[in-house]
Amino acid sequence: MVGDSGAEALLALHQGPGFVIPNVWDAGSARLLAQLGFPAIATTSAGIAWSKGLPDGGPLSADLMFEAVAEIVAAVGVPVSADLEAGYGDTAEAVGKTVARAAALGIVGGNIEDAVGGTLIPIDDAAGRLEAARAAAPAGTFVLNARTDAYFSSFDGDPFGETIARAERFVAAGADCVFVPGVKDAETIRRLAAEIPVPLNMVAGLTVPVIAAPALFELGVTRVSVGGSIARAAYDAVERAGRELLESGTLGFLDGAVSYADMQRRLGG
């Protein structure tokens, strides 16, 4: 689903009691999850990097990322929100061009981070990047998900206060929702949801203990994503299958696996 209708559908999900948006890394994973009935999907920069044989966090070029995301958009009929990392540029102008490029591909939403290399970008600069993103894709045409990494970076101050300050600035800059990864305790999540003036996105499966989606909804979270968790599970299955073949030559990894015919059916129509 592309264009304004896709953005409207994605925005509408943020007005409900809460929704899970799974993160995919290629057209095949996107189609399988869309077929399950998820009303929208997101991409994972980690999963896309791993699919290219690269680590997360920098080596993946914007061109490779957009190539993968374009294939995902073309493969499904639901809204797609992209992990745009820190905007693939050092300036607000460059971030604006990244968002414009995303929108032109039919992507109807995206995350923009406020940290590079584990270090927070100064708040004024981070807000300016979001203003450029909003100018490139006006409200109602693109769901701008502002990610703030005070809990997920080398920041040494009060992460709660910094997160709220950044969230307020980012909302003023045009963000539709705010994404706060790395929070580990339920009470902090509850306080963040109460004080952030737009829907809150949390990622499940990134921290220990794991807080499942229903519990996050009860805490006031609206949008729950899973980052690279599904990709990690898939690549772990590949490694375990390879280890079994190498060490014993057996095929126990096929127990319970989807059949060839079923995969053909799922991806053939």
Side-chain angles (χ1 to χ4, degrees), residues 56-76:
D56 187 27
L60 182 71
S61 70
D63 287 342
L64 282 176
M65 188 278 296
F66 276 120
E67 178 182 295
V69 176
E71 292 175 353
I72 290 168
V73 172
V76 298

Side-chain angles (χ1 to χ4, degrees), residues 45-46 49-50 54-62 64-65 85-86 88 113 116-118:
S45 62
W50 298 334
L54 299 170
D56 187 27
L60 182 71
S61 70
L64 282 176
M65 188 278 296
E85 300 192 78
Y88 295 99
E113 303 171 9
V116 174

